[in-house]
Structure formats: C-alpha cells, structure tokens
Amino acid sequence: MVRIGFEIHVQLKTKSKLFCTCPTNFLDVEPNTNVCPVCTAQPGSKPNGINEEVIRKAVLVALALNCKIRTEPIRFMRKHYFYPDLPSNYQRTSEPFAVDGELAGVRIREIHIEEDPGRYELRDGTVDYNRSGVPLIEIVTEPDMTSVEEARDFLKHLRAVLDYLDVILYPQIGFRVDANVSIEGGERVEVKNINSIHGVVRALKYEIARHKRMLAMGKKITRETRHWDEVRGVTVSLREKETAEDYRYMPDPDIPPYHIDPALVEQLRAQMPELPHQKKDRLVSEYGIDESAAWTFVLDKGLGDLFESLADRVGVKNATAFCLNLRGELNYRNKYLSDIQKPERLESLADLYFSGKITKPVYVDYLRKVLDDPTFVPKAQELLSEDEIRAIAREIIAANPDAVADYRNGEKKALNFLVGQIVAKTKGKADPKKAIQILRGELNR
Amino acid sequence: MPMLEETLEKIRNGEVLPSEHLEEKIAIFEEREPELNAFITPTLDQAREQAKNIDSLVRQEKGEAFYGLVWGIKDNFAIKGVRMTCASKMLENYVPPYTATPVERIFENNGVILGKLNMDEFACGSSGETSYFGPTRNARNPEYVPGGSSSGAGAAVAAGIVDLALGSDTGGSIRNPASFNGVVGLKPTYGLVSRYGLADLAMSLDVPGPLASDAYGIALAMDVIHGYDPRDRVSAKVQLSFLGSLDKFDPGSVRIGFSDKLLDGAEAPVVKTIQHVLKFYESKGVEVVEVDLPDIWTAFPAYYLVMYPEFASAMQKFDGIKYGHRTDAQTLYDVVAKSRDEGFGKEIKRRIIMGTFISMAKNAEWYRLALRARATIVRMFKKAFEQVDMILSPTVPTLPFKLGERINDPVKMYMADALTVPANLAGIPAISFPAGWYGDLPIGAQLMGPRYSDPLLVSAVRFFEKEGKQWSE
Amino acid sequence: MVISREDLEHIAKVARIALTEDEINELLPQFNEILELLARARELPLVDEELLSTTDAEDEFREDAAIPFSDPDAIVAQFPKKRGRYAEVPPNL
C-alpha cells in the first residue's frame, strides 16, 4: 500500500515581511531592493516583532482546515544550517500554533509559521535577499493519502480553500510542497522542492514507480531525502552531508513567546468567508446542477465565480456547458482560472457565443486564444449576408459536381460535406444554419 | 578632573563652547591615545562638525540634554557610515547601513561622538586583550589590563578623553572595565535600554549601558538612552527618572544585603574595600542585612552554558557572503569555513565551538541544565530582594592584572566574571563604582538591585561620592 | 574527557570553522577543562524550572505596514563579492 503525506509551504499575502517592514513584492522589484538590516542579518539588527497580519491569515487557514488553535505561549525557534539564501544562517520557525485538523479526509497534523529564505541561484552562484523574511505557513499532514489521485485531490481542495481565504501572496506561485511517500516493505522517502500540484503528481508517480522497481529487484528502500528535478522529471538523492545536518534548535531569545488571543480566534471565525464545500452545496441547491459539476467549479475559485456570473446572464445550462468546457481547456494547460490574464474576456466570449454573435467554431477558436494569448480580445464576427453566402454556395456547387450528384441521388452526407466547404471558404463567417438553408435552396432550384 | 556637572554648567552658561570643550578632549586624546589604544576608529572630523552645530544651538539656549558633551561608543554599536569592527578581523572593513537606537538618541540629544572604542573581540573577554586591533591599556597604570570587554570605554573615560561612553554588558563587560579603571559603569535592567544596533553576544543577557567618571554622568546618560524601542522586542515599556532621583537617596529607608560568601576567594585589598563601603553606609543609617545567597556560585557555570550556545547561534551570520571578511575558495563550504577561520580570533572560535557542542541535539541536556541553573539564580535573587533593596559585592574578586598574565588561561580569565554574571542571568541592574585604591590600582564595588531599581543604585553611588571616602592602601 | 578529538573535528565542521592541527591541539584540552568545570552544575541543587529570558516585554504584534528601508544600496555595497546587485558565491552544481 502507498502512503503519502505532505508538508506544504504557503507564502502569506501581507504587505510587509514577518519580522521587518520591508515590502513583500519580491517578484516585482530589482534584486536586493526589498532588504533592510533585519532581513539581511546585519550585525546588531533584531527582529522587529511579529507581523499581526501573518497571525490573522495563519489562524484563518487553521480554522478553515478545522484545526484546534493552541492557546499556550508559542515560541519561535532558530533552526541552524548554513546556506547562502539564509542571511543569519538560521531560520526562524515557530512551534505549531494549530493542530489536529482535517480537510477532504486527510488529517492535518500541525501548522506553524516560518520566514522564507532569499533566493540562491545554484547555477549562477548569485544570491538575492528580496524574498528573505517573507512570511510562510507550513501545513503538515498525516500520511493519509494512499494513491496519487487522492494526493492530487487533497492538494486541489487545499488550494481552493487558500484561494477562497485569499491568503496566497502570489497565486501564480501557489505553494511549495515536500512530499513523503512510502510503499509497503520500504522506508519513508521525502521528496523536496516541488512547486506545483502537477509537479507533485509527476514526482509521486516517478517515486512510487522507483520504489516498486527497487523492491522488485530485491533492493532496500532506506529513509532518505530526495530533490525533485522539475526539468528532468526525476528525483535525485541529496548527498549525505546535507541530510545529516544537526539543526541545533534553540528558542529565539529576541522574540518573546506569543499568544493567540481566543477573542481573535472567535472574531476570525465569525468573518470566515464561504468555503469551497459550502459553495458546492449552494450551487447544487440554488442552480440545480449536479454534485460533480459543482465540485469542478468550486475547486477553481475563479471558475466558480464565473459560473455564478454566467448562470444569471446566459442561463444555468449554457453556463454549465461553458464552464465545463473551459475547465477542460485549463486542465490541458495545468492552469487555474486565476492564471489567465484579463479573465473578463471569458465573460464577453460567453456573451458573444450565447447571443449568437459568433459561431461555434469561432467560439472554440476564440476560447483557446483567450487562454493562450493575453492580448487577444474576442469580438463579434462580421457575419456574411445571405447574398454573399449564396454567391459562395454557387461557387462551391460549381466546383464539386460529384458531391452535388451524390446529394441529388439521395446521399444526405454530401450536404454536410458541401456545408463544410462553405464554412471553410468563409473562415467561419457564415452562420452554418443559414448556409444549409441557402445551399438546399440552390441545390433544389 | 572637573566634575561632569561643572563642565556641563560652563557650557550651558556660555563660558565654554561645545567646540572648545571638544578641542580640550581632543588634546587629551592626542596625548593619551598612543599609549592607551582606547580607540579603533576615531571620528574627529565628524565630531568637530557636530560640535560646531551644537555651538549655535547653545547660543540659542538649546542643546539638551548633552550640550556637546563628548561620547565614545564601543565598537559593537552600529553608526551608519562609520566602520564597525567589533574589534575583529571579520568586520575590519564593515560599514553599517543603519544606526543603533541608543546612539541615535545620543545624537538627537547633542552628544558629540569622538569615535568608536576598542574592546575585546565581539565583546568576548574580561581584559581588553583579545582585540584584533591590539590590547587597550589601563588608564591608571598602562602595565595593567583595563578590564573588558568595554576596555576602550573604561580607559577613555578614566583618562578624560571622553565625558561619557556607551558600553555593553553581557556578563560584566561594563562593570569590569569600570572597576579596573576607577570609573562608574551601570549595567541596566535587561530590556531597559534597546539592543537594536548592538552586535549580539548572548541575546538574552546583552544590555547597553553607560560609563562615566561619576554617578551624575550615569544618570544624565540613562535618562536619554533608556526607554521602549519597537525595533527591539525585548525592550520594556518602562520610563524611569534618573536625574530626578539622583539626590534623593534616603539612607534611613534603605536596606543593603550582604553575605560573606561574596568575598570567597577575593584578594585582601578587595575585601577591605568592600568592608569599608559597608561600614560607610551603615554609619549613615543604612540597615545592613545578612542575606543568604546559597546559589551565587551556580551563576558561573550557568552563565557559560547559556552564553556559549547563544553566541554560537549569533555568530552563524558571519559567512563572508553578505559582509565582512571573505576568503575565496572553490566550494561554498570552503568559502564559509575559511572566511570564518581567518576572520575570527582564538576566543571567538573557542566559544563558537563550545556553543555548537552544547546546542547539538544529543547534548540538549547541557542546555536544559543551563536554563534550570538560570531559573535557580533568578529565584535566589527574588527571595533576597524581599528582604533588602540592594546587595553589595566586589565587582571583580581580584585587582587588575598585568597584560599577558592570563590571556592563555581561559578558565582563570573566566573566573573574573564570577560576581558580575549573576546580574545578567537574573536580568537585574548592577552598578560598579570606584571604592578603593591599592597603590595606583582601582578597586570597584558593585551594587545589585531588583529589576528597574536602576535609579536607586545610581543615587546610592552618588551618596557615596558626596558623603564617603574611598579606601586606600 | 567530555570531547574527543573526533568530536572536536566534527563540531568544527558543523560550526564551519576550519581548524588547523595546531589549533586542535591547543583547544582540545581547554574544552575539556571548561566542560568539566561546567559539569559541576549537575551537582548543584537546581530548581525544576527552565528559564530562557528575563524580558518583561509583552507579545504585542506589529501592524502590517510596508515601509521600505531607506538605503538598500548601502547593504549591497557591503557584499564582499557581487555581480550587479547580487551577492556572489560559488555555484553549486
């Protein structure tokens, strides 16, 4: 049996870093500009106190994951290891502030707060501290997942919860995952550094296949830490030296232990927005769609919102069809709706299509363009007039005497062929219904 | 040497301009510094510039609180744009991008900063001999050590080069050089003065504090530098008045605790000095109470077991990547290890390795032992201060020793801290003041009080200065 | 002896201090002398409580306001080796 558990790192959406007032928008600025004495560990600097918003967002997540919030004092610990992206060469990481949660049938063991390190580009040998000190929570699950599908399902649910709470700093980055995986007869292996749900699926498939192969060859699977190489699609063993590090955990004397006020917890509980499972129930009861479609929509927050907006405008049936089709296209691209720039283009696309201003083939073409080309704006087609269609129909009839003969001999398929020729010739600018009407008229004349 | 109050009064009433006062100090600096080596980075030009600005303030009857009094700053406090070495090769060329909170307050209050003062490397030492920039010498007798780690601060104040100095105290680093140089030094209550900008030694013990020639200087300095700082999360939201209570020492209402245990192993002149001080206070109506300090010698191992791991943790940041000494090498590991090996002196390596050992997972028992020993000390003091308002002891059990005498015997060197470390472990204030002389060697006495009794301790020293006489032989 | 020669070499590695042979020879006896001295704490009558710090500070949180540091260039200027605005270290392939 396969057993899978996760440690999930989420960068929290705050304006300033965990222990200093540097801005958190590290993706949008020049290297080493969001830096100060605190987050670059200049001699003499001290952490400036814990960012309140980190606590609020962290507790919100813990509540949404049905965790118990601890009320005893919680200490920040120093976890020592030398690495160029870690300015003080220790990472500040809190004791768990929440324990014993559950999501989608997977138990949450604990959640704690950490500071993100900077960025060390291994190949270039360059270090940028803009990210250093950005707040993270680490969510640790029990090894409750028994297949890749369950694992993927859990991560999708988690991602949806985080999106509904609007707590992810950069949705396009999402979260980072360390996965631990074991199969019967082998030890637990930890795979670090996986950056997407898709990556987790690939890494798990690779790792499970590797374990099975090893056991089949009579080899032992020993406890180890491996690194996921996204480019090559393989996991690589980390050298002994790096895994055998003694972190020398020590409470940070610069940070007094913090308490989470039960009043704050109650306040946040009261402010909790609608969560994916609640929205699923609502979509089923309010719009009468089936469970599975509802889940599909709510697990991508943007898609769920789009569905509701469209249902009011183009009707439930059309909205359902549109959103299911859209989900398929997004799946193909491993994307969330939030990854698509200017998503309002999708609404105008649906409006155009369902009001008959564009034809189905054009709609299919436009949808792909909207997803792949951020500059593309869907517009109503200039449809050809009946006279124009008639002129083209005559051309087609003249050019295809065999098909015309077939049609007249009662071959229904020949008509479809000829309509197809018109659609192709007009590059979709002819309404197919009209084209059939006109074509019939011409053929029967 | 003129009393600080008189100097200040002359500036305030226009008799002496801050610039003129500074030039007097610079003249002493030129004369004494070659022998003492109290400074690492003098900042004469900036000081002159500053004094000139304060001249015009004084003419407008402004210039509080220091009116251009001259400060030296221990070289483990950051001043933006001024080299901070921590007396280490590691930071020989380090220029901080920001200014420490206590220094900021000194600038804002018109203190003129004459330069960065010599010290033991990263404040690790009790003799001023571990500086990468050479040892400082005792201002009273240059053959002797000035004490440490605020060695330059003790010597510069004693020599009259500066009016006031900012030091830091982790296990006695203000009081020890104050004692050895015959000046006053206060280790404030932990958290009373912000540590923001003070390079770490042991974070749960470190506290900045002043050295001055007399209690008045300590009070003047403390009123400015203490107080809450949001940038240091251990700083206390407590506001005290030092000058306001300076002359309010009421012997009839104060009880001083004492235990013979505190004289165990002390040299004879030190014993006599302490007995002399005790008699003085008693003669003035202070009640002297025998207190039981059963665990006082627990402080010594507790201190080292707490300090080593915190120090090792603090020193992790020096890796040759962001700042400081860098030895280039092919691999990441070698860059870090070689930069550290070349950048740090012997005592630093000794402490880092000890701290690394104690904080390793398999040695967790050692660190827990330290925390229990610490709790023991805190409880002992708590009990004692239910009976008395302050406790008198020697600052250092021995007289100053000669340069080179103990530098290769770390254990003997560490023993000099035995009576200063308890206050750091308990987070309580302690003041060292000149109380006796053995020939030309000063002997300091120490008063410790409960948390936030700092102003009372300063006023007790003021009372001794005004009413008492130092012991001598 | 509390620390052996091998222990010391391992600790030095963890601490990233490249000790020379001479340094090891000098430090080893000193460590053991110090540790034996400190080990005496075990025999002392200690209370059954662990105390980390004596601060009275309350665990107040900081408001989430982004205030950029005034002089990041002064931080970049201290990098012992740099490439553009990056700190430079050996690559790790």
Side-chain angles (χ1 to χ4, degrees):
Chain A
M1 190 167 74
V2 178
R3 287 211 159 273
I4 299 164
F6 291 126
E7 289 170 17
I8 300 133
H9 296 85
V10 187
Q11 289 167 333
L12 291 183
K13 186 175 181 176
T14 58
K15 296 190 198 93
S16 62
K17 292 182 179 180
L18 179 52
F19 293 117
C20 65
T21 65
C22 283
T24 50
N25 61 335
F26 61 90
L27 277 190
D28 315 324
V29 294
E30 290 289 294
N32 291 309
T33 48
N34 283 359
V35 292
C36 78
V38 179
C39 59
T40 57
Q42 300 290 315
S45 69
K46 309 280 184 280
N48 291 168
I50 303 165
N51 183 344
E52 183 180 27
E53 192 60 18
V54 174
I55 302 293
R56 296 179 72 91
K57 296 242 154 89
V59 171
L60 208 55
V61 172
L63 290 175
L65 300 182
N66 305 298
C67 289
K68 224 172 73 202
I69 310 294
R70 294 179 61 204
T71 49
E72 48 271 67
I74 293 155
R75 300 176 299 177
F76 266 94
M77 307 297 283
R78 292 181 172 188
K79 176 183 178 182
H80 299 85
Y81 62 95
F82 284 91
Y83 208 62
D85 61 8
L86 199 57
S88 45
N89 287 314
Y90 55 78
Q91 185 187 25
R92 291 193 183 92
T93 162
S94 87
E95 295 173 312
F97 68 90
V99 294
D100 298 338
E102 185 273 334
L103 178 73
V106 175
R107 286 172 299 159
I108 309 294
R109 183 185 303 165
E110 54 119 318
I111 312 179
H112 60 261
I113 298 167
E114 293 183 349
E115 50 180 355
D116 212 355
R119 279 190 73 90
Y120 166 42
E121 291 297 338
L122 276 74
R123 286 181 179 82
D124 302 341
T126 56
V127 191
D128 172 16
Y129 299 107
N130 280 341
R131 200 177 69 183
S132 166
V134 164
L136 288 180
I137 48 171
E138 181 175 330
I139 302 166
V140 183
T141 77
E142 298 290 348
D144 284 351
M145 290 150 281
T146 56
S147 69
V148 177
E149 290 66 36
E150 274 180 34
R152 172 170 44 199
D153 194 49
F154 168 75
L155 290 176
K156 280 186 167 176
H157 276 82
L158 177 64
R159 173 63 199 248
V161 167
L162 297 171
D163 282 338
Y164 278 58
L165 299 176
D166 190 23
V167 293
I168 302 183
L169 179 60
Y170 280 112
Q172 67 265 44
I173 293 180
F175 44 60
R176 302 197 294 269
V177 178
D178 297 343
N180 54 69
V181 52
S182 63
I183 71 172
E184 208 153 345
E187 291 270 329
R188 200 185 72 175
V189 171
E190 191 177 17
V191 185
K192 282 188 173 284
N193 187 42
I194 321 175
N195 289 314
S196 66
I197 296 178
H198 182 58
V200 172
V201 170
R202 289 173 68 207
L204 285 176
K205 281 185 177 158
Y206 176 89
E207 198 54 24
I208 291 167
R210 193 181 67 84
H211 287 206
K212 286 184 175 157
R213 210 165 48 236
M214 298 260 294
L215 288 183
M217 294 192 307
K219 289 186 186 166
K220 261 194 173 162
I221 302 162
T222 50
R223 207 181 174 111
E224 64 167 340
T225 301
R226 298 174 73 87
H227 185 93
W228 169 242
D229 186 330
E230 177 81 43
V231 179
R232 289 161 57 210
V234 296
T235 65
V236 192
S237 184
L238 291 177
R239 274 169 294 130
E240 194 58 31
K241 200 181 76 187
E242 289 172 60
T243 55
E245 191 106 44
D246 184 336
Y247 291 129
R248 294 177 282 130
Y249 282 98
M250 175 200 291
D252 193 322
D254 289 334
I255 307 167
Y258 69 96
H259 296 71
I260 294 176
D261 184 353
L264 175 72
V265 176
E266 287 322 305
Q267 186 200 333
L268 290 169
R269 206 190 292 277
Q271 288 170 6
M272 185 68 66
E274 184 180 45
L275 291 172
H277 68 277
Q278 295 163 330
K279 178 153 179 165
K280 186 262 313 173
D281 290 345
R282 188 167 60 77
L283 292 190
V284 169
S285 66
E286 224 171 88
Y287 297 95
I289 61 175
D290 63 48
E291 285 258 332
S292 116
W295 269 125
T296 303
F297 299 158
V298 300
L299 286 183
D300 180 345
K301 178 169 188 299
L303 191 65
D305 293 345
L306 182 67
F307 168 78
E308 284 201 85
S309 161
L310 289 181
D312 294 341
R313 302 229 299 268
V314 302
V316 173
K317 212 178 132 208
N318 286 339
T320 306
F322 183 87
C323 289
L324 285 174
N325 184 30
L326 174 58
R327 183 66 258 166
E329 292 289 339
L330 289 168
N331 279 347
Y332 176 70
R333 290 164 177 75
N334 282 312
K335 278 186 174 166
Y336 278 96
L337 191 61
S338 59
D339 298 328
I340 306 305
Q341 292 183 37
K342 293 180 246 155
E344 64 280 1
R345 294 179 299 157
L346 288 164
E347 293 196 36
S348 20
L349 178 63
D351 287 342
L352 288 172
Y353 177 51
F354 293 115
S355 63
K357 294 204 177 89
I358 55 173
T359 60
K360 182 158 188 185
V362 171
Y363 149 68
V364 171
D365 177 50
Y366 278 11
L367 178 58
R368 290 174 186 161
K369 280 187 177 144
V370 167
L371 300 184
D372 297 329
D373 175 4
T375 64
F376 176 78
V377 181
K379 278 195 197 108
Q381 278 173 288
E382 294 169 31
L383 290 178
L384 296 181
S385 69
E386 286 189 18
D387 287 346
E388 285 166 320
I389 296 173
R390 188 166 293 116
I392 289 165
R394 284 176 184 161
E395 276 177 43
I396 297 293
I397 288 168
N400 296 282
D402 292 351
V404 172
D406 288 348
Y407 172 77
R408 291 191 170 132
N409 291 333
E411 283 263 10
K412 286 271 149 58
K413 272 190 218 155
L415 184 68
N416 290 342
F417 170 77
L418 291 168
V419 172
Q421 294 295 303
I422 294 174
V423 169
K425 178 106 187 173
T426 60
K427 292 184 180 125
K429 285 188 201 167
D431 180 345
K433 275 186 203 153
K434 268 188 190 153
I436 290 172
Q437 227 174 21
I438 291 168
L439 192 60
R440 270 212 190 97
E442 288 298 313
L443 286 168
N444 298 339
R445 228 171 36 161
Chain B
M1 204 193 314
M3 301 289 284
L4 205 54
E5 273 168 286
E6 296 164 21
T7 309
L8 195 61
E9 191 45 42
K10 279 184 187 163
I11 298 176
R12 226 180 302 185
N13 67 26
E15 226 175 293
V16 177
L17 275 175
S19 288
E20 292 164 351
H21 176 62
L22 175 64
E23 291 308 323
E24 282 172 31
K25 291 299 190 190
I26 289 178
I28 303 172
F29 168 81
E30 305 287 4
E31 188 197 328
R32 299 294 309 274
E33 175 59 12
E35 178 185 51
L36 295 180
N37 194 30
F39 285 73
I40 292 176
T41 310
T43 54
L44 305 192
D45 291 345
Q46 291 102 306
R48 285 182 165 122
E49 194 69 29
Q50 241 197 307
K52 222 191 292 167
N53 289 334
I54 303 170
D55 284 352
S56 62
L57 285 178
V58 170
R59 286 196 191 97
Q60 302 161 51
E61 292 182 10
K62 289 185 216 154
E64 302 89 339
F66 296 129
Y67 297 95
L69 285 183
V70 175
W71 279 81
I73 308 293
K74 188 179 182 180
D75 205 18
N76 56 353
F77 288 94
I79 306 180
K80 185 173 162 66
V82 178
R83 178 173 79 140
M84 170 171 86
T85 68
C86 292
S88 179
K89 181 180 179 183
M90 179 57 84
L91 292 179
E92 192 173 1
N93 298 307
Y94 174 66
V95 181
Y98 75 111
T99 299
T101 299
V103 176
E104 225 165 46
R105 292 182 180 175
I106 290 167
F107 275 127
E108 283 164 8
N109 283 275
N110 303 301
V112 168
I113 291 175
L114 188 58
K116 303 296 293 292
L117 298 168
N118 208 348
M119 55 187 277
D120 280 295
E121 184 176 358
F122 284 105
C124 294
S126 316
S127 71
E129 294 169 290
T130 68
S131 169
Y132 174 67
F133 300 91
T136 301
R137 287 171 181 273
N138 192 304
R140 310 292 180 178
N141 184 337
E143 282 180 35
Y144 287 77
V145 300
S149 68
S150 308
S151 50
V157 170
I161 302 173
V162 296
D163 297 304
L164 299 160
L166 182 66
S168 66
D169 195 313
T170 308
S173 281
I174 288 174
R175 291 160 287 158
N176 181 298
S179 171
F180 278 16
N181 284 285
V183 300
V184 187
L186 173 69
K187 170 232 157 331
T189 299
Y190 180 73
L192 189 59
V193 180
S194 168
R195 307 166 307 147
Y196 194 75
L198 165 64
D200 297 328
L201 197 176
M203 291 68 69
S204 77
L205 304 167
D206 295 339
V207 61
L211 294 90
S213 51
D214 56 31
Y216 179 84
I218 299 293
L220 185 70
M222 280 304 291
D223 271 341
V224 167
I225 64 172
H226 89 282
Y228 176 66
D229 175 13
R231 289 178 296 186
D232 178 1
R233 288 303 304 132
V234 306
S235 89
K237 286 188 173 163
V238 170
Q239 205 63 42
L240 303 171
S241 175
F242 285 82
L243 282 175
S245 52
L246 186 61
D247 287 313
K248 291 190 179 143
F249 185 78
D250 174 14
S253 70
V254 171
R255 283 181 299 183
I256 290 187
F258 183 71
S259 162
D260 280 338
K261 250 193 165 168
L262 296 168
L263 297 177
D264 281 357
E267 289 177 353
V270 176
V271 173
K272 287 178 190 167
T273 298
I274 298 307
Q275 284 164 346
H276 165 82
V277 174
L278 211 53
K279 255 182 225 142
F280 160 77
Y281 281 117
E282 206 167 16
S283 71
K284 295 289 171 188
V286 172
E287 188 185 343
V288 174
V289 178
E290 178 77 26
V291 288
D292 189 22
L293 299 171
D295 305 305
I296 191 78
W297 301 108
T298 304
F300 177 78
Y303 173 73
Y304 282 91
L305 290 171
V306 168
M307 177 272 285
Y308 282 139
E310 290 193 17
F311 183 65
S313 173
M315 298 305 278
Q316 292 261 122
K317 64 173 80 77
F318 298 100
D319 56 12
I321 296 174
K322 305 164 294 289
Y323 42 71
H325 180 78
R326 158 80 154 245
T327 309
D328 256 311
Q330 290 302 307
T331 68
L332 195 55
Y333 179 91
D334 283 348
V335 165
V336 176
K338 286 185 175 165
S339 296
R340 287 164 70 81
D341 191 50
E342 285 184 13
F344 292 145
K346 211 180 270 180
E347 177 63 15
I348 304 306
K349 290 182 204 171
R350 194 146 50 206
R351 292 191 183 195
I352 289 175
I353 289 177
M354 288 295 280
T356 303
F357 169 77
I358 292 170
S359 53
M360 284 174 142
K362 66 180 164 97
N363 300 321
E365 181 250 345
W366 280 92
Y367 189 57
R368 302 188 62 174
L369 187 70
L371 301 184
R372 282 180 60 209
R374 187 167 191 180
T376 306
I377 295 293
V378 167
R379 283 209 201 163
M380 175 194 77
F381 275 116
K382 208 169 174 194
K383 223 174 122 195
F385 289 127
E386 281 164 11
Q387 303 167 51
V388 297
D389 302 295
M390 49 184 101
I391 293 169
L392 180 74
S393 78
T395 308
V396 187
T398 64
L399 293 167
F401 45 91
K402 287 190 172 165
L403 254 74
E405 218 177 270
R406 295 191 191 168
I407 190 68
N408 291 316
D409 188 347
V411 169
K412 210 163 179 189
M413 188 74 92
Y414 290 176
M415 289 306 280
D417 302 335
L419 292 173
T420 46
V421 295
N424 298 82
L425 288 167
I428 59 174
I431 194 165
S432 174
F433 60 101
W437 292 86
Y438 185 70
D440 56 4
L441 297 177
I443 298 164
Q446 173 177 250
L447 284 170
M448 296 177 270
R451 284 174 71 76
Y452 307 115
S453 68
D454 312 50
L456 177 68
L457 300 185
V458 181
S459 71
V461 172
R462 169 82 158 185
F463 186 72
F464 178 77
E465 285 171 357
K466 288 207 148 170
E467 307 280 329
K469 236 181 87 192
Q470 296 180 17
W471 177 88
S472 68
E473 192 174 285
Chain C
M1 248 196 5
V2 188
I3 302 184
S4 70
R5 193 182 183 85
E6 292 68 43
D7 288 339
L8 179 55
E9 282 167 358
H10 172 67
I11 299 162
K13 222 176 232 174
V14 172
R16 297 292 193 280
I17 303 258
L19 290 180
T20 63
E21 202 58 24
D22 284 351
E23 283 174 313
I24 292 176
N25 289 334
E26 188 189 340
L27 287 171
L28 192 57
Q30 286 177 353
F31 284 144
N32 282 299
E33 189 186 351
I34 294 168
L35 281 171
E36 275 156 28
L37 192 70
L38 300 185
R40 285 192 212 154
R42 290 199 184 111
E43 276 101 65
L44 297 168
L46 302 182
V47 300
D48 198 19
E49 179 199 329
E50 293 178 14
L51 183 81
L52 185 67
S53 172
T54 58
T55 177
D56 296 320
E58 292 155 39
D59 55 337
E60 263 178 291
F61 298 126
R62 176 176 60 79
E63 191 196 337
D64 181 29
I67 307 163
F69 179 57
S70 57
D71 196 359
D73 291 356
I75 290 173
V76 173
Q78 289 302 311
F79 296 159
K81 266 190 96 175
K82 52 181 161 286
R83 198 184 310 154
R85 293 188 63 86
Y86 290 103
E88 199 179 331
V89 293
N92 191 359
L93 300 172

